[in-house]
Amino acid sequence: MSNEHDNVALLHPELGGGEFIENDSFSEARLPERQYCVFRAGRERFCFSVLEVEEVVDWPIVTRVPLAPAFLMGVFNLRGTIVPLVDIAFTEGRRPGMLPKHVVVAALKGDSQTGDLRLGIAADEVIGTYSATEESLLDQAPAEVPHCRGMLRHDDRLALVVDLRRLTDVFPVPVI
């Protein structure tokens, strides 16, 4: 079944007046893109949608929390807000004295029962931001990484896409 507009030439304003492109090629060239912040924690690459990332900061002064679970590295002060700091690569065991270099601060919008949550994720390296279409996303994630919902293909590599809701279920942090 063919749409009567499939082969109609459209005037495209970004091409500098008067140039026409075919409707099919325009729709193929303009697939919706999302941007992701890619970082490394331990041996794995992870990513968040940039819409979930508030900022990336250098390693702060971290205050340990007594009797905290192993994944909770502590809390830190971010311009007057206390933010819990989670190490999602804690199962790999870090060498003593080798702290991560950055913190990716993510924000999870609350619902009617819970407030907003800011969460710091320990990152050994922040690789950058990448634009990706839905074709670059794989729906499956390894079963041993329950806080991820899929994988992002970038630069011939894969990054695990972190799901913030699942992350707070797997790594429950205190609300401060």
Side-chain angles (χ1 to χ4, degrees), residues 64-74 172 174:
R64 299 260 180 220
V65 177
L67 305 174
F71 62 81
L72 183 62
M73 298 183 84

mmCIF file of all heavy atoms in Angstrom, residues 64-74 172 174:
data_model
loop_
_atom_site.group_PDB
_atom_site.id
_atom_site.type_symbol
_atom_site.label_atom_id
_atom_site.label_comp_id
_atom_site.label_asym_id
_atom_site.label_seq_id
_atom_site.Cartn_x
_atom_site.Cartn_y
_atom_site.Cartn_z
ATOM 1 N N ARG A 64 31.713 8.919 54.755
ATOM 2 C CA ARG A 64 31.242 7.537 54.890
ATOM 3 C C ARG A 64 30.003 7.498 55.783
ATOM 4 O O ARG A 64 29.860 8.307 56.695
ATOM 5 C CB ARG A 64 32.326 6.656 55.498
ATOM 6 C CG ARG A 64 33.572 6.606 54.657
ATOM 7 C CD ARG A 64 33.592 5.350 53.858
ATOM 8 N NE ARG A 64 34.789 5.308 53.042
ATOM 9 C CZ ARG A 64 34.795 4.876 51.816
ATOM 10 N NH1 ARG A 64 33.708 4.432 51.262
ATOM 11 N NH2 ARG A 64 35.901 4.849 51.125
ATOM 12 N N VAL A 65 29.142 6.535 55.527
ATOM 13 C CA VAL A 65 27.939 6.336 56.324
ATOM 14 C C VAL A 65 28.134 5.052 57.131
ATOM 15 O O VAL A 65 28.342 3.989 56.544
ATOM 16 C CB VAL A 65 26.690 6.229 55.426
ATOM 17 C CG1 VAL A 65 25.450 5.950 56.256
ATOM 18 C CG2 VAL A 65 26.513 7.493 54.591
ATOM 19 N N PRO A 66 28.088 5.137 58.469
ATOM 20 C CA PRO A 66 28.284 3.938 59.288
ATOM 21 C C PRO A 66 27.248 2.854 58.974
ATOM 22 O O PRO A 66 26.074 3.148 58.738
ATOM 23 C CB PRO A 66 28.102 4.446 60.720
ATOM 24 C CG PRO A 66 28.271 5.920 60.647
ATOM 25 C CD PRO A 66 27.859 6.326 59.273
ATOM 26 N N LEU A 67 27.705 1.606 58.929
ATOM 27 C CA LEU A 67 26.864 0.431 58.689
ATOM 28 C C LEU A 67 26.152 0.460 57.336
ATOM 29 O O LEU A 67 25.124 -0.179 57.159
ATOM 30 C CB LEU A 67 25.847 0.253 59.825
ATOM 31 C CG LEU A 67 26.447 0.168 61.234
ATOM 32 C CD1 LEU A 67 25.347 0.131 62.270
ATOM 33 C CD2 LEU A 67 27.357 -1.035 61.362
ATOM 34 N N ALA A 68 26.684 1.202 56.393
ATOM 35 C CA ALA A 68 26.081 1.295 55.058
ATOM 36 C C ALA A 68 26.398 0.041 54.254
ATOM 37 O O ALA A 68 27.418 -0.619 54.480
ATOM 38 C CB ALA A 68 26.615 2.522 54.332
ATOM 39 N N PRO A 69 25.552 -0.303 53.299
ATOM 40 C CA PRO A 69 25.869 -1.429 52.420
ATOM 41 C C PRO A 69 27.131 -1.145 51.602
ATOM 42 O O PRO A 69 27.510 0.016 51.416
ATOM 43 C CB PRO A 69 24.638 -1.547 51.514
ATOM 44 C CG PRO A 69 23.847 -0.312 51.716
ATOM 45 C CD PRO A 69 24.291 0.335 52.982
ATOM 46 N N ALA A 70 27.765 -2.196 51.087
ATOM 47 C CA ALA A 70 29.055 -2.062 50.391
ATOM 48 C C ALA A 70 28.984 -1.146 49.168
ATOM 49 O O ALA A 70 29.963 -0.482 48.839
ATOM 50 C CB ALA A 70 29.554 -3.445 49.977
ATOM 51 N N PHE A 71 27.861 -1.092 48.486
ATOM 52 C CA PHE A 71 27.758 -0.275 47.276
ATOM 53 C C PHE A 71 27.642 1.214 47.561
ATOM 54 O O PHE A 71 27.881 2.040 46.691
ATOM 55 C CB PHE A 71 26.575 -0.721 46.410
ATOM 56 C CG PHE A 71 25.236 -0.579 47.091
ATOM 57 C CD1 PHE A 71 24.588 0.633 47.145
ATOM 58 C CD2 PHE A 71 24.645 -1.675 47.691
ATOM 59 C CE1 PHE A 71 23.365 0.763 47.776
ATOM 60 C CE2 PHE A 71 23.418 -1.564 48.311
ATOM 61 C CZ PHE A 71 22.780 -0.348 48.367
ATOM 62 N N LEU A 72 27.260 1.589 48.802
ATOM 63 C CA LEU A 72 27.113 3.001 49.151
ATOM 64 C C LEU A 72 28.458 3.521 49.646
ATOM 65 O O LEU A 72 28.904 3.198 50.737
ATOM 66 C CB LEU A 72 26.033 3.191 50.219
ATOM 67 C CG LEU A 72 25.743 4.641 50.605
ATOM 68 C CD1 LEU A 72 25.221 5.447 49.416
ATOM 69 C CD2 LEU A 72 24.748 4.680 51.757
ATOM 70 N N MET A 73 29.110 4.307 48.794
ATOM 71 C CA MET A 73 30.439 4.827 49.129
ATOM 72 C C MET A 73 30.372 5.913 50.185
ATOM 73 O O MET A 73 31.354 6.199 50.851
ATOM 74 C CB MET A 73 31.127 5.345 47.872
ATOM 75 C CG MET A 73 31.359 4.258 46.839
ATOM 76 S SD MET A 73 32.245 4.849 45.394
ATOM 77 C CE MET A 73 33.924 4.717 46.010
ATOM 78 N N GLY A 74 29.216 6.526 50.328
ATOM 79 C CA GLY A 74 29.021 7.598 51.292
ATOM 80 C C GLY A 74 28.092 8.651 50.720
ATOM 81 O O GLY A 74 27.320 8.379 49.796
ATOM 82 N N PRO A 172 19.330 0.244 46.900
ATOM 83 C CA PRO A 172 18.490 1.174 47.655
ATOM 84 C C PRO A 172 19.344 2.097 48.523
ATOM 85 O O PRO A 172 20.158 1.645 49.311
ATOM 86 C CB PRO A 172 17.613 0.251 48.513
ATOM 87 C CG PRO A 172 18.338 -1.047 48.568
ATOM 88 C CD PRO A 172 19.193 -1.128 47.347
ATOM 89 N N PRO A 174 19.604 5.588 51.099
ATOM 90 C CA PRO A 174 18.770 6.359 52.049
ATOM 91 C C PRO A 174 18.385 7.688 51.445
ATOM 92 O O PRO A 174 19.158 8.303 50.723
ATOM 93 C CB PRO A 174 19.692 6.539 53.256
ATOM 94 C CG PRO A 174 21.074 6.418 52.703
ATOM 95 C CD PRO A 174 20.975 5.476 51.536
#
